[in-house]
Amino acid sequence: MSAVVVTPHLHVLRAAGTALVVDSSTAGMPRVLHWGADLPDDAVAQLPLLASGPVPHSALDESWPLTVLPSPADGWLGTPGFAGHRGGGTAAPRWVASVDQASERELVVTGEDAASGVRVSLAWRLDVHGVLRVSRSVTNTGAIDAALDVAALRALLPLPVRASEVLDLTGRWCRERSPQRSVLGDGTHLRASRRGRTGHDATLLLAVGTAGFGFGHGEVWATHVAWSGNHEHLVERLPEGAGMHRAVLGGGELLEPGEVRLEPGESYAAPEVVFVHSTDGLDGLSRRLHRSQRAEPGYRHTPRPLVLNTWEAVYFETDLAHLTELADVAAQVGVERFVLDDGWFGGRRHDRAGLGDWWVSPQVWPEGLGPLVEHVHGLGMEFGLWFEPEMVNLDSDLVREHPDWVLGPAAGHPREWRHQQVLDLANPAAAAHVVERVSALVGEYAIDFLKWDHNRDLLESVRRDWDRTDRPATHLQTAAFYAVLDELRRRHPRLEVESCASGGARVDLGVLARTDRVWTSDCNDALERARIQRWTGLLVPPERMGSHIGPPRAHTTHRHLDLSFRALVALQGHAGLEWDLTTCDAQERQVLAAWAGLYRELRPLLHSGDPVRADLPDDSLVVQGTVAPDRGEAVFQVLSLETGPAATPGLVPLPGLDRDRAYRVRVRTELGEPATVQASAPDWWSAATSGGLEVSGALLTDVGLPLPVLAPAQGCLLHLT
Ligand code: GLA
């Protein structure tokens, strides 16, 4: 590994084939010379030569730099890194920067403008997997005795000309994370979220790549804002470029006017923004992001227990006799964690009342939850419980007792959403109440797992503060939510937590830093799920993605799907069931038991390997897999989502394998064989379904397997050893 600093002013962060090069030789903030693939030292040393381009007519008289905090003082007329003012003044700081590079993976820049009394601290940390995290804070130094209003503190990095195609994700309830692609043009492609939570439509990653980039090919640059409140991701291209670069990519917290007002001496710490680059397509991004999360302290490496969640099984009809029977069947088929969903507390017999009253309902549970919890634990399963601590129904004892704890303007409550309002968690008494209630129940019932829900967007998210009314509150609310979770985890270190928000409306690295998995979507229709999980997996490793088998007829789409297909798709994540198993016949229970065994067998690989997704000509067929880091073992799913335009899929290469070895290819038939629409199966199929056959890695990689003609909503699992 080369020296950290090539010359005293050149600062190189590098790891795992990726590099950020910053130059501090000029006045003002350091300029960014390079972000992307790593470069040899001699190339890095010559980068400053390329830092000044030609000066066109009708433009700034000198070549200008894109700095680490782009601003008009540098020449940048796009979205600025910092924006703020002090009652309309001191709005254009000129930074005097100092740079401190502690290691080849960490750089800290402090910028100060003494005249306007503002200081910013920026830090870039590159982990060993090549994931770059940028943290930023701004301080009102007190040089001027007045408050500083912070409008934005973004992290932005440059993109080259060849980064010309944008991929972002959007969505809605039950259809989270649908991809949309566009050609990068001049202007700002902005994905802003003002929902007070991450949002069903949050982009997860904003990626920009070379023309036609795919899962396995192309160069891609991507960003993610690690925050569960209002936020923005943007890629922006101006005709004049960005210094010598072509465009900028990044984002930050989206602040409402007046939301962050710093009195002298106060600071605002912006949420981390994550950047990642790949020379081998989206799979390269995901590989880095998954490995990086798995290396974090506190990450759960214990086998992810097979879950049964009661929601689609019983909804609000929680009843000891029925749930005891359900737990018995669950344990028989191999479930390891039993989660009691909504409806167990206060007056919560439906979604119009009781939210906020975190006491076990004496009407429904006259002996408390004890008998159920003991039964579940006695069967060797963990016990999990649903909460929605940030929300209230107005029809609740909590609101009757503390009407002032409801978030919203002095003029009256915001519009209702699922008949609920938001608890003002920035009120210390409300936050302490939530911690006390949840903690008491976790202690009393030895609860192993919380499903932590958040079922509405925030509207008119303002609080009636002691000195000013209707103060913007989303930042405070998000920070208070994090603080409550952090306190609960401090008190109960073994407690696992799932982030749910009407399905997958709170999926981001801010919440994942303090939870163990996300509820990916309320849609348990396996066909929809296959797509939702495929794209959620860009960022989220499978073991953090809740993925359940729903009933034969999906409750959210009314579509009937075979158990084998539902079971196959559920294997893509942290698997579970959301189905009243007491209604299952013997045959279904047998398949579920076999599926549970397969999950237990394969999860060490599925939950530690690297994701690979085949680039196929259309979306009718999905081929995706998990390959062990040493490429000695792999599991592939072949899913037919709809009929394809071709009569047969043809030869389909399997990505990510080792060309220089042979693999024993088996079709795992525990879930049954898929229905096909073919007169006869391909030759290799019968050997693969009965013991397996040896196939060269080069053949699988470069030529491919002739796949069967699967009927729509059918699939199979290939296991390669
Ligand atoms: C949300 C969740 C569901 C379920 C219900 C309970 O919609 O996403 O999984 O927990 O709330 O009310």
Side-chain angles (χ1 to χ4, degrees), residues 173 309 311 316 341-343 348 351 386 388 418 451 453-455 500-504 519 521-522 578:
W173 179 70
N309 179 288
W311 182 239
F316 289 106
D341 210 283
D342 201 351
R348 186 77 166 173
D351 62 9
W386 182 94
E388 194 180 358
R418 208 188 183 207
K451 177 174 175 181
D453 215 333
H454 181 289
N455 280 317
C500 174
S502 323
W519 182 227
S521 177
D522 272 351
E578 201 150 325

Tab-separated table of all heavy atoms in Angstrom, residues 173 309 311 316 341-343 348 351 386 388 418 451 453-455 500-504 519 521-522 578, ligand 1:
chain	number	residue	atom	x	y	z
A	173	TRP	N	-47.258	2.377	-0.930
A	173	TRP	CA	-47.580	1.280	-0.024
A	173	TRP	C	-47.772	-0.004	-0.833
A	173	TRP	O	-48.444	-0.002	-1.865
A	173	TRP	CB	-48.860	1.617	0.767
A	173	TRP	CG	-49.266	0.527	1.697
A	173	TRP	CD1	-48.624	0.150	2.844
A	173	TRP	CD2	-50.379	-0.355	1.548
A	173	TRP	NE1	-49.286	-0.908	3.425
A	173	TRP	CE2	-50.373	-1.238	2.644
A	173	TRP	CE3	-51.388	-0.482	0.592
A	173	TRP	CZ2	-51.331	-2.237	2.816
A	173	TRP	CZ3	-52.340	-1.471	0.765
A	173	TRP	CH2	-52.308	-2.336	1.867
A	309	ASN	N	-45.280	-14.255	12.177
A	309	ASN	CA	-45.903	-13.009	12.600
A	309	ASN	C	-47.418	-13.175	12.482
A	309	ASN	O	-47.915	-13.703	11.488
A	309	ASN	CB	-45.407	-11.855	11.717
A	309	ASN	CG	-46.044	-10.543	12.117
A	309	ASN	OD1	-47.223	-10.319	11.884
A	309	ASN	ND2	-45.275	-9.664	12.722
A	311	TRP	N	-49.908	-11.023	12.105
A	311	TRP	CA	-50.766	-10.001	11.501
A	311	TRP	C	-51.736	-10.587	10.478
A	311	TRP	O	-52.943	-10.552	10.662
A	311	TRP	CB	-49.916	-8.875	10.926
A	311	TRP	CG	-50.733	-7.756	10.327
A	311	TRP	CD1	-50.688	-7.315	9.037
A	311	TRP	CD2	-51.711	-6.931	10.986
A	311	TRP	NE1	-51.568	-6.274	8.855
A	311	TRP	CE2	-52.221	-6.023	10.043
A	311	TRP	CE3	-52.216	-6.885	12.282
A	311	TRP	CZ2	-53.193	-5.072	10.332
A	311	TRP	CZ3	-53.198	-5.931	12.587
A	311	TRP	CH2	-53.663	-5.045	11.622
A	316	PHE	N	-56.638	-8.079	14.210
A	316	PHE	CA	-56.846	-7.582	15.575
A	316	PHE	C	-57.477	-8.625	16.509
A	316	PHE	O	-57.697	-8.341	17.680
A	316	PHE	CB	-57.732	-6.326	15.535
A	316	PHE	CG	-57.036	-5.120	14.965
A	316	PHE	CD1	-57.338	-4.648	13.700
A	316	PHE	CD2	-56.060	-4.447	15.695
A	316	PHE	CE1	-56.700	-3.536	13.165
A	316	PHE	CE2	-55.414	-3.329	15.165
A	316	PHE	CZ	-55.734	-2.874	13.899
A	341	ASP	N	-48.510	-9.415	16.748
A	341	ASP	CA	-48.618	-8.103	16.085
A	341	ASP	C	-49.654	-7.238	16.801
A	341	ASP	O	-50.030	-7.497	17.960
A	341	ASP	CB	-48.948	-8.323	14.594
A	341	ASP	CG	-48.399	-7.224	13.698
A	341	ASP	OD1	-49.003	-6.135	13.664
A	341	ASP	OD2	-47.361	-7.438	13.038
A	342	ASP	N	-50.130	-6.243	16.140
A	342	ASP	CA	-51.074	-5.236	16.648
A	342	ASP	C	-52.274	-5.874	17.363
A	342	ASP	O	-52.669	-6.987	17.041
A	342	ASP	CB	-51.571	-4.437	15.424
A	342	ASP	CG	-52.123	-3.086	15.793
A	342	ASP	OD1	-52.294	-2.811	16.981
A	342	ASP	OD2	-52.373	-2.301	14.855
A	343	GLY	N	-52.874	-5.116	18.300
A	343	GLY	CA	-54.177	-5.511	18.841
A	343	GLY	C	-54.163	-6.041	20.267
A	343	GLY	O	-55.217	-6.353	20.814
A	348	ARG	N	-57.314	-1.247	21.730
A	348	ARG	CA	-56.952	-1.453	20.318
A	348	ARG	C	-57.617	-2.717	19.752
A	348	ARG	O	-56.938	-3.729	19.494
A	348	ARG	CB	-55.423	-1.539	20.228
A	348	ARG	CG	-54.879	-1.606	18.810
A	348	ARG	CD	-54.886	-0.290	18.109
A	348	ARG	NE	-54.062	-0.377	16.898
A	348	ARG	CZ	-53.965	0.577	15.997
A	348	ARG	NH1	-54.605	1.715	16.158
A	348	ARG	NH2	-53.199	0.419	14.939
A	351	ASP	N	-58.320	-0.122	14.286
A	351	ASP	CA	-57.259	0.890	14.175
A	351	ASP	C	-57.726	2.307	14.521
A	351	ASP	O	-57.019	3.269	14.263
A	351	ASP	CB	-56.578	0.820	12.802
A	351	ASP	CG	-57.517	1.113	11.643
A	351	ASP	OD1	-58.663	1.544	11.903
A	351	ASP	OD2	-57.106	0.903	10.494
A	386	TRP	N	-45.350	-6.378	18.885
A	386	TRP	CA	-45.528	-5.193	18.021
A	386	TRP	C	-45.751	-3.942	18.861
A	386	TRP	O	-46.514	-3.955	19.820
A	386	TRP	CB	-46.734	-5.432	17.117
A	386	TRP	CG	-47.055	-4.351	16.126
A	386	TRP	CD1	-46.630	-4.295	14.831
A	386	TRP	CD2	-47.907	-3.208	16.310
A	386	TRP	NE1	-47.157	-3.186	14.207
A	386	TRP	CE2	-47.947	-2.492	15.094
A	386	TRP	CE3	-48.634	-2.709	17.390
A	386	TRP	CZ2	-48.689	-1.329	14.916
A	386	TRP	CZ3	-49.371	-1.537	17.222
A	386	TRP	CH2	-49.389	-0.849	15.992
A	388	GLU	N	-46.060	0.578	18.229
A	388	GLU	CA	-45.956	1.732	17.328
A	388	GLU	C	-45.780	2.966	18.213
A	388	GLU	O	-46.676	3.820	18.322
A	388	GLU	CB	-47.204	1.839	16.428
A	388	GLU	CG	-46.975	2.797	15.281
A	388	GLU	CD	-48.164	2.940	14.350
A	388	GLU	OE1	-49.183	2.273	14.557
A	388	GLU	OE2	-48.058	3.752	13.410
A	418	ARG	N	-54.667	6.875	8.788
A	418	ARG	CA	-54.988	5.645	9.519
A	418	ARG	C	-55.516	5.985	10.919
A	418	ARG	O	-55.165	5.342	11.899
A	418	ARG	CB	-53.780	4.714	9.616
A	418	ARG	CG	-54.199	3.251	9.714
A	418	ARG	CD	-53.052	2.320	10.005
A	418	ARG	NE	-53.518	0.939	10.008
A	418	ARG	CZ	-52.965	-0.047	10.679
A	418	ARG	NH1	-51.898	0.177	11.410
A	418	ARG	NH2	-53.439	-1.259	10.632
A	451	LYS	N	-41.260	-5.502	16.989
A	451	LYS	CA	-41.587	-4.984	15.660
A	451	LYS	C	-42.023	-3.541	15.897
A	451	LYS	O	-43.053	-3.292	16.529
A	451	LYS	CB	-42.715	-5.798	15.028
A	451	LYS	CG	-43.149	-5.262	13.672
A	451	LYS	CD	-44.177	-6.178	13.017
A	451	LYS	CE	-44.698	-5.583	11.715
A	451	LYS	NZ	-45.709	-6.430	11.078
A	453	ASP	N	-43.233	-0.121	14.624
A	453	ASP	CA	-43.963	0.352	13.440
A	453	ASP	C	-44.093	1.877	13.435
A	453	ASP	O	-43.872	2.537	14.467
A	453	ASP	CB	-45.357	-0.304	13.439
A	453	ASP	CG	-45.848	-0.617	12.045
A	453	ASP	OD1	-45.438	0.077	11.100
A	453	ASP	OD2	-46.657	-1.552	11.895
A	454	HIS	N	-44.486	2.425	12.306
A	454	HIS	CA	-44.641	3.882	12.144
A	454	HIS	C	-45.537	4.085	10.937
A	454	HIS	O	-45.064	4.113	9.798
A	454	HIS	CB	-43.255	4.497	11.909
A	454	HIS	CG	-43.241	5.988	11.757
A	454	HIS	ND1	-43.742	6.633	10.663
A	454	HIS	CD2	-42.758	6.957	12.560
A	454	HIS	CE1	-43.566	7.945	10.800
A	454	HIS	NE2	-42.973	8.158	11.951
A	455	ASN	N	-46.850	4.204	11.210
A	455	ASN	CA	-47.816	4.016	10.131
A	455	ASN	C	-48.395	5.270	9.510
A	455	ASN	O	-49.542	5.258	9.067
A	455	ASN	CB	-48.950	3.116	10.629
A	455	ASN	CG	-48.536	1.659	10.588
A	455	ASN	OD1	-47.918	1.218	9.615
A	455	ASN	ND2	-48.832	0.920	11.623
A	500	CYS	N	-40.344	-1.146	10.917
A	500	CYS	CA	-41.488	-1.296	10.020
A	500	CYS	C	-42.146	0.067	9.918
A	500	CYS	O	-42.146	0.828	10.878
A	500	CYS	CB	-42.458	-2.317	10.624
A	500	CYS	SG	-44.010	-2.496	9.730
A	501	ALA	N	-42.682	0.408	8.778
A	501	ALA	CA	-43.433	1.654	8.654
A	501	ALA	C	-44.446	1.440	7.536
A	501	ALA	O	-44.109	1.617	6.365
A	501	ALA	CB	-42.508	2.828	8.346
A	502	SER	N	-45.644	0.982	7.874
A	502	SER	CA	-46.635	0.580	6.869
A	502	SER	C	-45.925	-0.267	5.817
A	502	SER	O	-45.991	0.014	4.630
A	502	SER	CB	-47.265	1.791	6.193
A	502	SER	OG	-47.468	2.849	7.096
A	503	GLY	N	-45.229	-1.288	6.265
A	503	GLY	CA	-44.339	-2.037	5.377
A	503	GLY	C	-42.998	-1.353	5.358
A	503	GLY	O	-42.424	-1.030	6.395
A	504	GLY	N	-42.513	-1.054	4.143
A	504	GLY	CA	-41.125	-0.611	4.009
A	504	GLY	C	-40.926	0.878	3.853
A	504	GLY	O	-40.143	1.309	3.007
A	519	TRP	N	-39.024	-4.424	7.895
A	519	TRP	CA	-40.166	-5.094	7.282
A	519	TRP	C	-40.260	-4.511	5.881
A	519	TRP	O	-40.550	-3.335	5.692
A	519	TRP	CB	-41.433	-4.886	8.111
A	519	TRP	CG	-42.626	-5.592	7.532
A	519	TRP	CD1	-43.866	-5.072	7.353
A	519	TRP	CD2	-42.687	-6.955	7.068
A	519	TRP	NE1	-44.694	-6.024	6.793
A	519	TRP	CE2	-43.988	-7.183	6.594
A	519	TRP	CE3	-41.762	-8.010	6.975
A	519	TRP	CZ2	-44.405	-8.412	6.059
A	519	TRP	CZ3	-42.160	-9.226	6.438
A	519	TRP	CH2	-43.472	-9.419	5.989
A	521	SER	N	-42.070	-4.871	3.129
A	521	SER	CA	-43.312	-4.386	2.512
A	521	SER	C	-44.486	-5.054	3.188
A	521	SER	O	-44.369	-6.187	3.670
A	521	SER	CB	-43.324	-4.734	1.023
A	521	SER	OG	-44.538	-4.329	0.442
A	522	ASP	N	-45.632	-4.378	3.188
A	522	ASP	CA	-46.862	-5.038	3.651
A	522	ASP	C	-47.404	-5.987	2.597
A	522	ASP	O	-48.377	-6.688	2.839
A	522	ASP	CB	-47.940	-3.992	3.977
A	522	ASP	CG	-47.828	-3.507	5.411
A	522	ASP	OD1	-47.039	-4.090	6.180
A	522	ASP	OD2	-48.528	-2.536	5.765
A	578	GLU	N	-46.589	-15.452	7.599
A	578	GLU	CA	-47.622	-14.538	8.063
A	578	GLU	C	-48.933	-15.109	7.567
A	578	GLU	O	-49.485	-14.670	6.563
A	578	GLU	CB	-47.342	-13.141	7.500
A	578	GLU	CG	-48.016	-12.063	8.281
A	578	GLU	CD	-47.255	-10.745	8.254
A	578	GLU	OE1	-45.999	-10.745	8.234
A	578	GLU	OE2	-47.936	-9.715	8.248
B	1	GLA	C1	-48.569	-1.869	9.603
B	1	GLA	C2	-47.521	-2.940	9.396
B	1	GLA	C3	-48.167	-4.294	9.365
B	1	GLA	C4	-48.924	-4.533	10.647
B	1	GLA	C5	-49.922	-3.422	10.863
B	1	GLA	C6	-50.571	-3.527	12.224
B	1	GLA	O1	-49.398	-1.773	8.491
B	1	GLA	O2	-46.779	-2.677	8.245
B	1	GLA	O3	-47.203	-5.298	9.157
B	1	GLA	O4	-48.021	-4.605	11.709
B	1	GLA	O5	-49.322	-2.143	10.778
B	1	GLA	O6	-51.499	-2.532	12.435
